[in-house]
Amino acid sequence: MSWKTLFMLVLTNNKWIRLMLRRVELLEDIKWFQLLSPLNGRYVPWTGSAMRPGALQMILNDIAVNRRTKIVELGGGLSTIYICRLLSQMRSDGVSRKIVCIEHDDEWVKILTAILKANEIPDDLFEIMHCPLISSANTTGSSWYAENEFMKAVTDIELLLIDGPPAYRKEIEMAREPALPYFYSKLSENASVYLDDIDRSGERKVAYKWCKKFNISISVYRLRGSFAVFRKSVGLFNV
């Protein structure tokens, strides 16, 4: 693990460092949000729980530059909408692409699907899949998605975005820990894995455990969008 990653995972637990970083985050968000303007369309709900624009912009870069075709997302929202808009713009090359979003809240599945249809996203570009949360022996006090046929059979995932299950409270802060162990064998050789909310202590603990378990290197982007990314291949373009 690099010293930069260690700094972000450990030293940013200091409350004074976090306060200092937050002063810069707003300016960073404004800068990255401007770069998303070509994908702006109908109004979408940008709430406090939405992915920050810097993280979203790097994911969209990854999809566009590395020509991703099979995308899986845990926890849907604003990111789903922007990814679908990009996939819609990329259809002209004739390549089949799709994002499958695994979401625990059935009502949110309906709302998100309605938003995508209102944005005139073609049905073949996305699937929002309801997977309720069940008790998990792999997470302390947390739950994991009920396994379905898609989760069992999916392979060669080129981009995995982890923004669920909910992990915003102390008692469920490790809820996303099973994500990489579950999907690791299902990733393609050149896959990217994004973990959102790395500014929270739970996600930092999860990232640290993944580094040790899989002997991998994770890059942490605290100011750009509060996320971490792991890439299986060093041959990918730097986005």
Side-chain angles (χ1 to χ4, degrees), residues 183-224:
F183 285 102
Y184 188 83
S185 64
K186 303 174 182 292
L187 299 174
S188 70
E189 286 301 312
N190 66 342
S192 295
V193 178
Y194 292 83
L195 174 65
D196 195 26
D197 301 309
I198 201 67
D199 55 314
R200 303 189 306 206
S201 63
E203 276 72 12
R204 289 197 294 273
K205 293 175 186 176
V206 167
Y208 186 75
K209 285 192 171 186
W210 288 352
C211 287
K212 293 179 65 177
K213 180 179 179 65
F214 296 100
N215 191 27
I216 59 175
S217 176
I218 292 181
S219 299
V220 175
Y221 295 85
R222 179 63 176 84
L223 290 179
R224 181 168 178 176

Side-chain angles (χ1 to χ4, degrees), residues 142-211:
S142 301
S143 301
W144 181 245
Y145 299 104
E147 191 176 47
N148 58 25
E149 292 305 313
F150 169 81
M151 292 172 66
K152 292 178 182 178
V154 66
T155 58
D156 298 321
I157 299 170
E158 295 175 348
L159 191 147
L160 175 64
L161 171 54
I162 302 167
D163 198 14
Y168 55 88
R169 300 193 312 271
K170 182 68 176 177
E171 60 269 26
I172 57 172
E173 67 173 3
M174 302 300 289
R176 298 174 184 177
E177 184 182 352
L180 190 57
Y182 183 87
F183 285 102
Y184 188 83
S185 64
K186 303 174 182 292
L187 299 174
S188 70
E189 286 301 312
N190 66 342
S192 295
V193 178
Y194 292 83
L195 174 65
D196 195 26
D197 301 309
I198 201 67
D199 55 314
R200 303 189 306 206
S201 63
E203 276 72 12
R204 289 197 294 273
K205 293 175 186 176
V206 167
Y208 186 75
K209 285 192 171 186
W210 288 352
C211 287

Side-chain angles (χ1 to χ4, degrees), residues 30-41 46 53 57 60 82 85 89:
I30 293 172
K31 177 179 70 176
W32 296 113
F33 184 72
Q34 290 175 333
L35 295 175
L36 294 174
S37 58
L39 292 176
N40 291 341
W46 202 306
Q57 196 259 350
L60 296 174
Y82 271 84
R85 286 175 177 171
Q89 288 189 4

Side-chain angles (χ1 to χ4, degrees), residues 1 31 99:
M1 185 187 306
K31 177 179 70 176
I99 177 172

